[in-house]
Amino acid sequence: MAKTGTTTQGLRAAIERSGYYPALVAEAVEAAVGGEPIVSYLVHQETTFDANEVRRHVTVLVLTDNRFIVSHTDEQAADGTSPSPYATTSTESVKLQRISSVVLSRVVANPESYTPGTLPREVVLTIGWGAVSRLDLEPAACGDPNCEADHGYTGSSTADDLSLRVSEAGDGPDTVRQTLAFAQALSEATAATPDTGR
């Protein structure tokens, strides 16, 4: 379930509606936001199945005038470090000028008859700010099939700090709309933020 909006009260209500340890999640997010006004937010809960366990995860994204805040909360079963189940919450605060990439991928059905304004059936929001990058390398080669020389490696580096997938079938049309709205607000904010050389 994803929610987007622009007020602290709206953010808290969205966290509470997610039903996922709302007191814990709200306290962590509100501490990270501090007294800054909220421009936009998105609350997304996902459930995964791991062998015989069901695990839940909530991601909260908050946009202020100066920062992009990411919060992740995961629940864990009892293990060798804890005799009872527990949850971990982390928040990261990123200055808007550090955001290098906001990618929104849309999946639409029947593209030949697409009408502007039609909701995509799925969207993937990927945001990069340089904290995590993925490097894919492969041996370089030349065009000569008989060449045995070492040509080194070639590859690509991809910013992979956050990727959030929502679908109409799994999350509902409101969630897709809210993700589109948050992505637009974040894109506009990063476009309006002067580049200070990061």
Side-chain angles (χ1 to χ4, degrees), residues 175-189:
T175 302
V176 175
R177 268 189 217 92
Q178 291 157 355
T179 305
L180 292 170
F182 183 84
Q184 182 175 348
L186 182 60
S187 290
E188 290 171 357

Side-chain angles (χ1 to χ4, degrees), residues 71-143:
S71 174
H72 295 286
T73 304
D74 290 287
E75 61 185 357
Q76 307 292 332
D79 58 23
T81 64
S82 175
S84 60
Y86 61 100
T88 56
T89 298
S90 65
T91 57
E92 182 173 3
S93 176
V94 181
K95 291 183 179 180
L96 285 179
Q97 61 264 32
R98 285 201 47 221
I99 295 179
S100 57
S101 161
V102 178
V103 180
L104 184 68
S105 301
R106 302 168 189 239
V107 177
V108 297
N110 304 314
E112 69 282 353
S113 60
Y114 177 78
T115 304
T118 302
L119 204 59
R121 71 176 187 198
E122 178 180 310
V123 294
V124 178
L125 174 60
T126 305
I127 304 165
W129 58 90
V132 178
S133 293
R134 184 178 65 242
L135 189 61
D136 295 318
L137 294 175
E138 61 184 39
C142 67

Side-chain angles (χ1 to χ4, degrees), residues 1 3 8-30 41-45 58-60 62 71:
M1 171 184 293
K3 300 292 174 200
T8 303
Q9 295 84 6
L11 173 58
R12 182 174 268 281
I15 290 169
E16 288 173 359
R17 277 192 303 275
S18 79
Y20 185 81
Y21 306 122
L24 174 65
V25 173
E27 181 180 51
V29 171
E30 289 169 2
Y41 62 81
L42 179 67
V43 177
H44 182 258
Q45 181 182 323
V58 69
T59 302
V60 180
V62 179
S71 174

